[in-house]
Amino acid sequence: MSNIQFDAYTPTWCPGCGDWGIRVGIKTALQQLGFDPSKVFLSFDIGCSGNMNDFLNGYAMHGLHGRAIPTAIGMKVARHDMPVIVIGGDGGLYGEGGNHFLHACRGNHDITVIVHDNMVYGLTTGQVAPTAEQGYKSKSTPRGIIEQSVNPLALAITQGATFVSQGFAGDARLIIDLIKQAVSHKGFSLVNILQPCVTFNKVNTYQYYLQKTYKLEEGYDPTDMNDALKRSMEVHEEKFPLGVLYKSERPAYHEQIPQLDEPLTLRQRFTDFSKFGEEFV
Amino acid sequence: MKFNWKIGGEAGFGIMTSGLTFSKIATRSGYHIFDYTEYPSLIRGGHNTYEVAFSDEEIHSSIWHVDLLVCLNKDTYELHKHRLTSESMVIYDPEMFEIDIDVKKIVVPFNQIKKDEKIQQQMVNTVAVAASIALLGGDLKLLDDMIHEAFDRKGEEVVNFNLRLAAIGHEHITKNGSQLLDVLKPKENPSKKMVMTGNEMFSLASIPADCRHYASYPMTPASSILAILAAWQYDNGMVVRHPEDEISVINSALGSAHAGVRSSVGTSGGGFALMVESLSYAGVAELPVVVFLSMRPGPATGLPTWTEQGDLMFAVHAGHGEFPKIVLAPGDIDEMAALTLQAYDLADIYQLPVIVLSDKYLSESHKDVEKDTIDKMFAEYIPDRGKIVHDTDMNPYLRYKDQEDGISEMLIPGKEGIYYQANSYEHIEDSHTTEDDTARVQQVNKRNRKTATYLKNHFVEPAFYGDPEADTIFVSWGSMKGPILDAMQLLTHETKKGYGFVHFTYLYPLDEQKIREFFAGKKNQRHILVENNSHAQFGQLLRMQTGITFDETLLKYDGRPFWPEEIRDYVLGVKKTDMSAETPITGTEQAVLAKLEEQM
């Protein structure tokens, strides 16, 4: 084990923010899996959650709002032997970067996407996020949001993600377990973490989630897509299942690229290039 | 000897394939070629044309006058007859239309042959190309060879059928007593030439450059790179991807660049617009990336399949905030080969985005190039990754360590005991986020110093062609090189005088002092700034960066490239050829700007 630690700067999040617990969950999961900061790629989005870039060490990118998934895919293309973890919020990953999210599911890229789902934009002081319930009032939607909420779990399942799970910021043990499973899973894994924003979201509070969440029962079969979809739709009844909703086996994106038999970064330079000119003669 | 062959027909007729076949027959016969295609943004039904200018000597651009026009439909004749003279030959089928001007008529009954042989329209091309070969004194065997190359894998029956069609076209000319030329007569021991577009050369050069990840979303006129590299990837190990949009394209390239592999992307103006925020990320996080930007006329969707140099200033200014970047603009495929290699090196050495600026004219026109020359250039090339390293002594690791030359060491992630981030926020030396004023200024200054280092170590002054003492000097950049070089030849032929040409390829940043020295002492010469756009963008850039202004501009922005004849006529102040459909707009740079200001 290396002597370097995941702990970096002391977080600047609001006291009571769910980000604290999520960070501990990520750190602990990675430690328990035997990783250290030199052995993981982290791709941080922009927002309160993305600010974890300075609080969690790793070979990291802290890129642009909404683009943490494409940068993660790029890192995976270059070094598929290293785990790649995306850390961002519902605004960046389901809003600004929603297109990337659905296509990454389709590709079954072997990355883990951890979404801090708190239904608001914290860093820009509380505007509505795409996961907020229809009618949610915020600075940008004073009479309530007109659009219905994004359903990230159903979206991921239907677009081809092969590991779809949901955690709750108040349950660190569950988060650790889900992240460990997600990182170990070969293929696209989603860990959607329900998280109160103690400063800007007065609706979806710890109390709210304690009442509305429930753990998937023993014997729940995550390989049954129909069942998983049914559970994912419970959000419309304000019911939030916690645990691994869906899991399936499908070759990851990089496994279907024969030239990635060894990591792109590490292989020797290809030098037999003169033959490619022949077709132009 | 220069000869201009042109074929036209409906989109879907297979015009592109026939044109390329003809180009290769010319090069395999020992001639130099330059070809040019025009096609609308349609798959079927529009009008497609392909013209091949070939010559004993190197040829750099198209020719206005058409020597042999092959008409597969009436439109070809109607749309191009203003480029014919009584010296021109026209291959046509009187069943489709009659010719009403004075040209040398060559009848080939395409419709009858089509009926007799029960062939599809695409196969008529083989007849047309074979007839052209016969008429020009070429060797039919070269076409037969190409038929074998194209169809051998489809079996003997297909091959023989096509060979028969070629023979029919050929015999029709030789038997019908047409006057035969010898302009395409094979030369002895022709050297091995490649017939390539700018896009193809960028693709080819990206292999020795050790590009390992190419991502692109299709957009004319950059799309062919994606297709070429995608087809080759299983043989050379490059990973070639087509993500969901250009934003994903460039961010995935930045991801792989951070993880240590040379990465590039290709697009046109609209796609480039989507990448702009990410260029800024590459700027602050100091990530190397090569962006191939092939221009087409905008704004917005514009004229998708036509040409313009309209995105120069956009490329130069792309990205919010202040950060260094490099813009290179090759003028032909030889320069494309060299500057592609250079672009990948510069991106790594300076850890920043390098934009290779092309346009439809360069991206999709073929020119011949000696295979040996290119093979040698590639074989001798060794990638220079500058301060990008697999190992380091630094601990704690200072990814953005302040350096005299502005360039910090970039460790390829993976070394044990080390970590750092490619941070889009302003950061301190160890890559953590900061809002501290001193750290901010340190990092801005560090990044800015890269420009000075680049100007000192890698900036290359413009090339000068022709006579330095000439009283008329052209100033231009990128793909205008070809038409200007050929125009100079026409002008010298006409006036028995020399002409000069200042050709820029290292467009941004420009070295003020070197450029001012370059133009010093040339005060009394007539300088003509030639650009394929309406804003005289390079003129603006030159003034912005060096304070140099040119009084006279020759601008064209109808979507078409310049014809050398057009430049000649402008310089001489005469109108020798009626190119009215493509009349260039001329004036002074100031007048152009005044007009723009008025409009604003």
Side-chain angles (χ1 to χ4, degrees), chain B residues 27-31 184-193:
Chain B
T27 55
R28 290 182 187 189
S29 302
Y31 297 89
L184 196 58
K185 193 176 149 196
K187 293 175 183 290
E188 279 184 30
N189 303 320
S191 60
K192 199 170 183 179
K193 292 191 180 79

Side-chain angles (χ1 to χ4, degrees), chain A residues 105-120:
Chain A
C105 292
R106 286 177 54 222
N108 197 29
H109 290 274
D110 185 21
I111 60 176
T112 297
V113 177
I114 299 172
V115 185
H116 299 230
D117 180 0
N118 64 4
M119 303 172 185
V120 291

